[in-house]
Amino acid sequence: MNTLLSDSAHPKTGAKELSGDTIAIRGGRPLTGRVEVKGAKNLATKAMVAALLGETTSILRDVPDISDVQVVRSLLEVHGVSVVDGEEDGVLHLDPSGAVSAHMEEIDAHAGASRIPILFCGPLLHLLGQAFIPDLGGCRIGDRPIDFHLDALRSFGAVVEKLPSGIRLSAPEGLHGADIELPYPSVGATEQVLLTAVRARGTTELRNAAIEPEIMDLIAVLQKMGAIISYEPNRVILIEGVPNLRGYDHRCIFDRNEAASWACAALATDGDIFVGGAKQQEMLTFLNVFRKVGGWFEVHEDGIQFRRGGPLKPVVVETDVHPGFMTDWQQPLIVALTQAQGESIVHETVYENRFGFTQALVQMGADIVVHHNGLEGGARRVPRRELEQAAVITGPSPLHGADIVVPDLRGGYSHVIAALAADGESVVRNVGIIRRGYEKLFAKLDALGADFDVIE
């Protein structure tokens, strides 16, 4: 991949930040110090798409410098949207006044590494009357079908045509309000409905919606633009369509996924990490598990400090949609659980293939057994799903260096942390995937005292 994401020189290599795709890590050293987290990847990219709906320029603040943001920026520019950096770091000005249709080849060329193009559909149908979705990429962590999206768009009146190169959508009669119930509270499908319903004729009722903090922040963005959206009890969202929307000025919610990742890094390496910008309320569920594992944290006005509070203890965790324990949190947590005294169990109920990253941990000496059909019995809070899997982690297990290939975003970060916790040297390849969600990773590892080199 080797995509440059920053103009700052890396202190170890003299190369530009995050220019390397392979790193050599010498582990066994606690990570200590402070890192800052910016806006959430899962909000910033969606708010950028929302700018297409406005008739004036939008301003988005605290935007992370990550490859997913670069992909969305490129897609917007391909469609004629002007995206200009602000004077302050992390500020984007998005002017949709020149929006036009884009050629399939251009969309495909800019979107190959991301699933974000599907969220362009609603805004583009309102703006241009048509949209095109290329074959979707993203992390290989499960099926992640787009049926929820397409069914929702059909409910609004969109015509869906499947082509060898992707999917073309049109709205010859315009889009109208719809009555939609999701079979599962999918974050992506909820975002699709919100971005489509706000300018559809009439009222839309969405049942079984996702209610993640990033969804609530997207609703706040859309309300600033002039949308009428209300959140009702029992995962119901009502949207009254309006004919026009204006631009917004919004500061992204912080990235709770990155904050939790650094917290798990403190556990795994027996370090002490202050995560600037992290907030307690959006991390309540994670903080409870962190404390049960044996972690210690202290909430400050400007962030949260994380470290071990004693020997790590085994836990049983079930991933779930918000307000449950996020699936993105379990991968870095599992690295820490390899050092807990006893048997931990992680039930993955959201994606059916998110334990693939544990193979590298086993190679490094971890005792992890994956049950591909899940585990029966035991007290459960989250209803069992047909696709779920379970990982049994027995520790503590001394980790040693290995040659690792990064499989996906969160799993890749977890591999880096495992290498930092292990004795000896590890070589971690395909690091470029991690840039999708972690800004200035090398600089942050430097700040925390990690011992590594970029292999050009």
PDB file of all heavy atoms in Angstrom, residues 45 67-68 71-72 75 110-118 134-139 436:
ATOM      1  N   THR A  45     -15.872   9.821   8.577  1.00  0.00           N
ATOM      2  CA  THR A  45     -16.115   9.431   7.181  1.00  0.00           C
ATOM      3  C   THR A  45     -17.589   9.600   6.808  1.00  0.00           C
ATOM      4  O   THR A  45     -17.910   9.992   5.676  1.00  0.00           O
ATOM      5  CB  THR A  45     -15.677   7.979   6.948  1.00  0.00           C
ATOM      6  OG1 THR A  45     -16.241   7.136   7.965  1.00  0.00           O
ATOM      7  CG2 THR A  45     -14.157   7.859   7.012  1.00  0.00           C
ATOM      8  N   SER A  67      -6.216   6.575   6.352  1.00  0.00           N
ATOM      9  CA  SER A  67      -6.465   6.270   4.949  1.00  0.00           C
ATOM     10  C   SER A  67      -7.956   6.203   4.617  1.00  0.00           C
ATOM     11  O   SER A  67      -8.350   6.526   3.489  1.00  0.00           O
ATOM     12  CB  SER A  67      -5.768   4.975   4.540  1.00  0.00           C
ATOM     13  OG  SER A  67      -6.226   3.886   5.294  1.00  0.00           O
ATOM     14  N   ASP A  68      -8.821   5.783   5.537  1.00  0.00           N
ATOM     15  CA  ASP A  68     -10.252   5.770   5.250  1.00  0.00           C
ATOM     16  C   ASP A  68     -10.766   7.180   4.958  1.00  0.00           C
ATOM     17  O   ASP A  68     -11.629   7.375   4.094  1.00  0.00           O
ATOM     18  CB  ASP A  68     -11.035   5.155   6.416  1.00  0.00           C
ATOM     19  CG  ASP A  68     -11.210   3.649   6.253  1.00  0.00           C
ATOM     20  OD1 ASP A  68     -10.477   3.050   5.445  1.00  0.00           O
ATOM     21  OD2 ASP A  68     -12.081   3.078   6.941  1.00  0.00           O
ATOM     22  N   VAL A  71      -9.709   8.054   1.474  1.00  0.00           N
ATOM     23  CA  VAL A  71     -10.559   7.405   0.475  1.00  0.00           C
ATOM     24  C   VAL A  71     -11.839   8.206   0.265  1.00  0.00           C
ATOM     25  O   VAL A  71     -12.247   8.476  -0.884  1.00  0.00           O
ATOM     26  CB  VAL A  71     -10.898   5.963   0.896  1.00  0.00           C
ATOM     27  CG1 VAL A  71     -12.030   5.392   0.047  1.00  0.00           C
ATOM     28  CG2 VAL A  71      -9.670   5.068   0.778  1.00  0.00           C
ATOM     29  N   VAL A  72     -12.498   8.604   1.356  1.00  0.00           N
ATOM     30  CA  VAL A  72     -13.741   9.368   1.243  1.00  0.00           C
ATOM     31  C   VAL A  72     -13.467  10.721   0.589  1.00  0.00           C
ATOM     32  O   VAL A  72     -14.244  11.199  -0.252  1.00  0.00           O
ATOM     33  CB  VAL A  72     -14.410   9.547   2.615  1.00  0.00           C
ATOM     34  CG1 VAL A  72     -15.681  10.370   2.491  1.00  0.00           C
ATOM     35  CG2 VAL A  72     -14.735   8.186   3.214  1.00  0.00           C
ATOM     36  N   LEU A  75     -13.179  10.180  -3.086  1.00  0.00           N
ATOM     37  CA  LEU A  75     -14.487   9.913  -3.685  1.00  0.00           C
ATOM     38  C   LEU A  75     -15.315  11.184  -3.801  1.00  0.00           C
ATOM     39  O   LEU A  75     -15.994  11.402  -4.815  1.00  0.00           O
ATOM     40  CB  LEU A  75     -15.234   8.868  -2.852  1.00  0.00           C
ATOM     41  CG  LEU A  75     -14.759   7.426  -3.006  1.00  0.00           C
ATOM     42  CD1 LEU A  75     -15.385   6.539  -1.939  1.00  0.00           C
ATOM     43  CD2 LEU A  75     -15.090   6.892  -4.398  1.00  0.00           C
ATOM     44  N   HIS A 110     -10.799   4.734  -6.721  1.00  0.00           N
ATOM     45  CA  HIS A 110     -10.602   5.415  -5.445  1.00  0.00           C
ATOM     46  C   HIS A 110     -11.200   4.652  -4.264  1.00  0.00           C
ATOM     47  O   HIS A 110     -10.870   4.944  -3.125  1.00  0.00           O
ATOM     48  CB  HIS A 110     -11.226   6.814  -5.489  1.00  0.00           C
ATOM     49  CG  HIS A 110     -10.442   7.781  -6.319  1.00  0.00           C
ATOM     50  ND1 HIS A 110     -10.610   7.871  -7.686  1.00  0.00           N
ATOM     51  CD2 HIS A 110      -9.482   8.674  -5.988  1.00  0.00           C
ATOM     52  CE1 HIS A 110      -9.795   8.799  -8.161  1.00  0.00           C
ATOM     53  NE2 HIS A 110      -9.098   9.293  -7.164  1.00  0.00           N
ATOM     54  N   ALA A 111     -12.071   3.687  -4.532  1.00  0.00           N
ATOM     55  CA  ALA A 111     -12.814   3.056  -3.438  1.00  0.00           C
ATOM     56  C   ALA A 111     -12.434   1.613  -3.185  1.00  0.00           C
ATOM     57  O   ALA A 111     -13.027   0.972  -2.327  1.00  0.00           O
ATOM     58  CB  ALA A 111     -14.314   3.121  -3.730  1.00  0.00           C
ATOM     59  N   GLY A 112     -11.425   1.090  -3.877  1.00  0.00           N
ATOM     60  CA  GLY A 112     -11.136  -0.327  -3.795  1.00  0.00           C
ATOM     61  C   GLY A 112     -10.842  -0.835  -2.401  1.00  0.00           C
ATOM     62  O   GLY A 112     -11.040  -1.999  -2.105  1.00  0.00           O
ATOM     63  N   ALA A 113     -10.348   0.017  -1.500  1.00  0.00           N
ATOM     64  CA  ALA A 113      -9.954  -0.434  -0.169  1.00  0.00           C
ATOM     65  C   ALA A 113     -10.985  -0.082   0.895  1.00  0.00           C
ATOM     66  O   ALA A 113     -10.697  -0.141   2.075  1.00  0.00           O
ATOM     67  CB  ALA A 113      -8.606   0.179   0.206  1.00  0.00           C
ATOM     68  N   SER A 114     -12.195   0.277   0.496  1.00  0.00           N
ATOM     69  CA  SER A 114     -13.159   0.744   1.492  1.00  0.00           C
ATOM     70  C   SER A 114     -14.575   0.331   1.118  1.00  0.00           C
ATOM     71  O   SER A 114     -14.902   0.159  -0.063  1.00  0.00           O
ATOM     72  CB  SER A 114     -13.089   2.273   1.599  1.00  0.00           C
ATOM     73  OG  SER A 114     -14.115   2.770   2.430  1.00  0.00           O
ATOM     74  N   ARG A 115     -15.419   0.211   2.154  1.00  0.00           N
ATOM     75  CA  ARG A 115     -16.836  -0.074   1.932  1.00  0.00           C
ATOM     76  C   ARG A 115     -17.682   1.186   1.992  1.00  0.00           C
ATOM     77  O   ARG A 115     -18.912   1.126   1.905  1.00  0.00           O
ATOM     78  CB  ARG A 115     -17.331  -1.073   2.994  1.00  0.00           C
ATOM     79  CG  ARG A 115     -16.717  -2.455   2.846  1.00  0.00           C
ATOM     80  CD  ARG A 115     -17.068  -3.353   4.020  1.00  0.00           C
ATOM     81  NE  ARG A 115     -16.498  -4.673   3.845  1.00  0.00           N
ATOM     82  CZ  ARG A 115     -17.144  -5.706   3.290  1.00  0.00           C
ATOM     83  NH1 ARG A 115     -18.362  -5.556   2.872  1.00  0.00           N
ATOM     84  NH2 ARG A 115     -16.547  -6.866   3.160  1.00  0.00           N
ATOM     85  N   ILE A 116     -17.058   2.335   2.139  1.00  0.00           N
ATOM     86  CA  ILE A 116     -17.796   3.572   2.319  1.00  0.00           C
ATOM     87  C   ILE A 116     -18.637   3.978   1.105  1.00  0.00           C
ATOM     88  O   ILE A 116     -19.649   4.663   1.269  1.00  0.00           O
ATOM     89  CB  ILE A 116     -16.817   4.716   2.703  1.00  0.00           C
ATOM     90  CG1 ILE A 116     -17.572   5.919   3.300  1.00  0.00           C
ATOM     91  CG2 ILE A 116     -16.009   5.163   1.503  1.00  0.00           C
ATOM     92  CD1 ILE A 116     -18.090   5.672   4.674  1.00  0.00           C
ATOM     93  N   PRO A 117     -18.314   3.575  -0.159  1.00  0.00           N
ATOM     94  CA  PRO A 117     -19.101   4.062  -1.298  1.00  0.00           C
ATOM     95  C   PRO A 117     -20.590   3.789  -1.186  1.00  0.00           C
ATOM     96  O   PRO A 117     -21.396   4.558  -1.732  1.00  0.00           O
ATOM     97  CB  PRO A 117     -18.494   3.316  -2.493  1.00  0.00           C
ATOM     98  CG  PRO A 117     -17.106   3.043  -2.096  1.00  0.00           C
ATOM     99  CD  PRO A 117     -17.161   2.769  -0.621  1.00  0.00           C
ATOM    100  N   ILE A 118     -20.964   2.718  -0.500  1.00  0.00           N
ATOM    101  CA  ILE A 118     -22.396   2.412  -0.429  1.00  0.00           C
ATOM    102  C   ILE A 118     -23.176   3.507   0.288  1.00  0.00           C
ATOM    103  O   ILE A 118     -24.354   3.729   0.025  1.00  0.00           O
ATOM    104  CB  ILE A 118     -22.624   1.030   0.232  1.00  0.00           C
ATOM    105  CG1 ILE A 118     -24.055   0.572  -0.038  1.00  0.00           C
ATOM    106  CG2 ILE A 118     -22.334   1.076   1.733  1.00  0.00           C
ATOM    107  CD1 ILE A 118     -24.313  -0.862   0.310  1.00  0.00           C
ATOM    108  N   PRO A 134     -19.143   0.254  -6.625  1.00  0.00           N
ATOM    109  CA  PRO A 134     -18.220  -0.758  -7.141  1.00  0.00           C
ATOM    110  C   PRO A 134     -18.165  -1.952  -6.203  1.00  0.00           C
ATOM    111  O   PRO A 134     -18.788  -1.949  -5.134  1.00  0.00           O
ATOM    112  CB  PRO A 134     -16.876  -0.014  -7.163  1.00  0.00           C
ATOM    113  CG  PRO A 134     -16.998   0.956  -6.031  1.00  0.00           C
ATOM    114  CD  PRO A 134     -18.453   1.375  -5.989  1.00  0.00           C
ATOM    115  N   ASP A 135     -17.426  -2.985  -6.584  1.00  0.00           N
ATOM    116  CA  ASP A 135     -17.182  -4.095  -5.667  1.00  0.00           C
ATOM    117  C   ASP A 135     -16.558  -3.535  -4.396  1.00  0.00           C
ATOM    118  O   ASP A 135     -15.616  -2.736  -4.449  1.00  0.00           O
ATOM    119  CB  ASP A 135     -16.235  -5.120  -6.293  1.00  0.00           C
ATOM    120  CG  ASP A 135     -16.903  -5.874  -7.415  1.00  0.00           C
ATOM    121  OD1 ASP A 135     -18.139  -5.990  -7.388  1.00  0.00           O
ATOM    122  OD2 ASP A 135     -16.188  -6.331  -8.328  1.00  0.00           O
ATOM    123  N   LEU A 136     -17.079  -3.965  -3.239  1.00  0.00           N
ATOM    124  CA  LEU A 136     -16.668  -3.365  -1.979  1.00  0.00           C
ATOM    125  C   LEU A 136     -15.503  -4.097  -1.355  1.00  0.00           C
ATOM    126  O   LEU A 136     -15.441  -5.319  -1.351  1.00  0.00           O
ATOM    127  CB  LEU A 136     -17.849  -3.342  -1.003  1.00  0.00           C
ATOM    128  CG  LEU A 136     -19.045  -2.506  -1.465  1.00  0.00           C
ATOM    129  CD1 LEU A 136     -20.170  -2.610  -0.463  1.00  0.00           C
ATOM    130  CD2 LEU A 136     -18.658  -1.063  -1.683  1.00  0.00           C
ATOM    131  N   GLY A 137     -14.574  -3.341  -0.780  1.00  0.00           N
ATOM    132  CA  GLY A 137     -13.421  -3.917  -0.086  1.00  0.00           C
ATOM    133  C   GLY A 137     -13.625  -3.851   1.412  1.00  0.00           C
ATOM    134  O   GLY A 137     -14.716  -4.046   1.916  1.00  0.00           O
ATOM    135  N   GLY A 138     -12.562  -3.542   2.132  1.00  0.00           N
ATOM    136  CA  GLY A 138     -12.626  -3.478   3.585  1.00  0.00           C
ATOM    137  C   GLY A 138     -11.953  -4.671   4.223  1.00  0.00           C
ATOM    138  O   GLY A 138     -11.346  -5.503   3.565  1.00  0.00           O
ATOM    139  N   CYS A 139     -12.037  -4.758   5.538  1.00  0.00           N
ATOM    140  CA  CYS A 139     -11.383  -5.840   6.268  1.00  0.00           C
ATOM    141  C   CYS A 139     -12.104  -7.162   6.051  1.00  0.00           C
ATOM    142  O   CYS A 139     -13.339  -7.208   6.026  1.00  0.00           O
ATOM    143  CB  CYS A 139     -11.344  -5.513   7.764  1.00  0.00           C
ATOM    144  SG  CYS A 139     -10.252  -4.139   8.170  1.00  0.00           S
ATOM    145  N   ARG A 436      -5.816   2.518   8.204  1.00  0.00           N
ATOM    146  CA  ARG A 436      -7.224   2.831   7.963  1.00  0.00           C
ATOM    147  C   ARG A 436      -7.877   3.459   9.189  1.00  0.00           C
ATOM    148  O   ARG A 436      -8.835   4.221   9.058  1.00  0.00           O
ATOM    149  CB  ARG A 436      -8.008   1.559   7.587  1.00  0.00           C
ATOM    150  CG  ARG A 436      -7.656   0.983   6.214  1.00  0.00           C
ATOM    151  CD  ARG A 436      -8.629  -0.130   5.855  1.00  0.00           C
ATOM    152  NE  ARG A 436      -9.991   0.314   6.011  1.00  0.00           N
ATOM    153  CZ  ARG A 436     -10.956  -0.403   6.599  1.00  0.00           C
ATOM    154  NH1 ARG A 436     -10.695  -1.610   7.070  1.00  0.00           N
ATOM    155  NH2 ARG A 436     -12.175   0.081   6.692  1.00  0.00           N
TER     156      ARG A 436
END
